[in-house]
Amino acid sequence: MFKWIHKFGSPPFVYALSKAISPWVGIASLILFAWGLYMGLVKAPPDYEQGEVYRIIFVHVPAAWMSMFVYTVMAISSAVFIIWRLKLADVVAEASAAIGASFTFLALVTGSIWGRPTWGTWWEWDARLTFELILLFQYLAYIALRSAIEHKQSGARAAAILAVVGIVNIPIIHFSVEWFNSLHQPATITRADGPKMHPSMLIPLFIMVAAFQLYYFHHLLVKMRVGILNRDRRARWVRERIETKGL
Amino acid sequence: MAEWLSMGGRGAYVWSAFGITALVLIVNWIWLRHQISDAKVKSKRLANTKERT
């Protein structure tokens, strides 16, 4: 019944699948970005407290959510790599690191820009901000560790362990606004009693989150092809694919 | 239009946040295209070398 799952452990299958669907995922992401930006920058009304500056939410929140989502993907795929030695799981983790670091950087920078007019400061050693900064260091440490160890297998394994151990930071970031005295706004969307945001703002936010998600999936699919080619360059299936389909 | 661009006097904050986001996403995409192109070239070069030998 689950035989089809095994196909996702096959590099030629994943390569062909990625090549087939990544353009469509990219186009869908572009459409959602255009729609989300129009809805968020033009159609959504100003906030009664913050005025127009709240619109930074439409890039800050998606970037922050993606920073945590991508790290979770990285940690889970690293765990799969460690436990079952599935090479494609390591490809997923490696492919996710740089883009995850980019999202974390964006969350910090857009948050800082938003903080200046609202909190009166570019930075505060607030719990959420500090743990998000630690998350950025975790991504950078993962990338650096992989590059630092000459033997690729050892580097991959060491980085995978680092990624798995670091997952503890994700719930800390999420619950930091509840656990600590935080300057950062508490949850308005992921609440037990439902979102506290008006639909005119909530819908553009969800569109932008979907756009960021699809951007990540497009990036992941293409980066997986890079990882597969870098590892399997000498494999016969690559030579056969070059002869029949030009790669 | 000018009113929309000024974003209630907070235009510098809003547009710099969106601008930096767009820049990072575009640069990432360009870098990605470079990486896949480079990987393909290296694979084809290796395949051609093996054919000749």
Side-chain angles (χ1 to χ4, degrees):
Chain A
M1 182 181 162
F2 294 107
K3 275 186 188 173
W4 59 272
I5 292 178
H6 290 282
K7 283 188 180 177
F8 290 95
S10 159
F13 174 77
V14 170
Y15 187 94
L17 182 68
S18 161
K19 193 165 167 68
I21 68 174
S22 64
W24 301 108
V25 174
I27 289 167
S29 172
L30 270 174
I31 292 170
L32 285 175
F33 267 120
W35 186 23
L37 287 171
Y38 171 71
M39 293 290 285
L41 289 170
V42 178
K43 298 296 282 184
D47 182 66
Y48 80 100
E49 259 186 337
Q50 294 187 27
E52 305 285 355
V53 80
Y54 92 97
R55 295 182 196 276
I56 297 174
I57 198 175
F58 299 119
V59 288
H60 172 69
V61 167
W65 281 1
M66 288 309 298
S67 72
M68 292 190 283
F69 175 79
V70 172
Y71 194 90
T72 306
V73 168
M74 211 168 89
I76 291 172
S77 51
S78 293
V80 169
F81 171 62
I82 291 168
I83 297 166
W84 288 291
R85 298 178 198 270
L86 188 63
K87 283 183 217 165
L88 279 175
D90 182 55
V91 171
V92 169
E94 189 182 17
S96 299
I99 190 68
S102 298
F103 286 137
T104 312
F105 170 79
L106 281 175
L108 288 166
V109 167
T110 56
S112 174
I113 294 170
W114 196 359
R116 182 72 181 111
T118 49
W119 298 341
T121 179
W122 295 107
W123 180 261
E124 193 61 46
W125 290 105
D126 170 82
R128 176 159 278 188
L129 276 67
T130 305
F131 284 109
E132 184 75 6
L133 181 64
I134 290 171
L135 183 64
L136 178 61
F137 294 154
Q138 285 177 242
Y139 275 115
L140 297 176
Y142 178 92
I143 294 166
L145 187 59
R146 278 198 89 107
S147 320
I149 298 175
E150 253 189 69
H151 188 246
K152 285 197 187 302
Q153 275 290 339
S154 302
R157 196 166 172 79
I161 293 168
L162 183 69
V164 170
V165 168
I167 193 70
V168 69
N169 193 21
I170 301 303
I172 292 174
I173 293 170
H174 181 71
F175 291 110
S176 59
V177 289
E178 293 173 34
W179 293 347
F180 305 99
N181 277 329
S182 179
L183 197 57
H184 195 284
Q185 186 177 331
T188 44
I189 297 154
T190 52
R191 296 164 58 98
D193 56 350
K196 286 284 179 196
M197 194 182 273
H198 193 270
S200 61
M201 299 173 182
L202 195 61
I203 291 168
L205 180 59
F206 282 158
I207 294 170
M208 287 299 285
V209 168
F212 271 72
Q213 277 277 3
L214 290 180
Y215 176 91
Y216 164 63
F217 283 130
H218 169 77
H219 188 101
L220 178 66
L221 288 168
V222 178
K223 198 77 192 280
M224 282 185 72
R225 295 211 312 266
V226 174
I228 290 169
L229 281 180
N230 286 343
R231 285 158 206 252
D232 282 15
R233 195 169 290 143
R234 297 173 197 284
R236 185 156 66 169
W237 74 265
V238 173
R239 283 202 310 277
E240 286 171 1
R241 197 178 164 95
I242 291 170
E243 285 162 18
T244 54
K245 296 178 186 187
L247 208 62
Chain B
M1 181 70 169
E3 197 182 317
W4 178 71
L5 283 171
S6 78
M7 287 283 169
R10 306 292 202 183
Y13 298 108
V14 175
W15 297 119
S16 58
F18 279 85
I20 289 169
T21 302
L23 182 69
V24 168
L25 295 182
I26 290 168
V27 165
N28 264 307
W29 183 79
I30 291 171
W31 178 239
L32 185 67
R33 300 310 311 168
H34 168 76
Q35 286 181 305
I36 187 66
S37 171
D38 188 55
K40 285 180 179 177
V41 162
K42 283 180 179 165
S43 299
K44 287 177 182 173
R45 197 175 291 151
L46 188 66
N48 286 339
T49 311
K50 281 194 182 296
E51 271 179 23
R52 278 194 226 112
T53 55

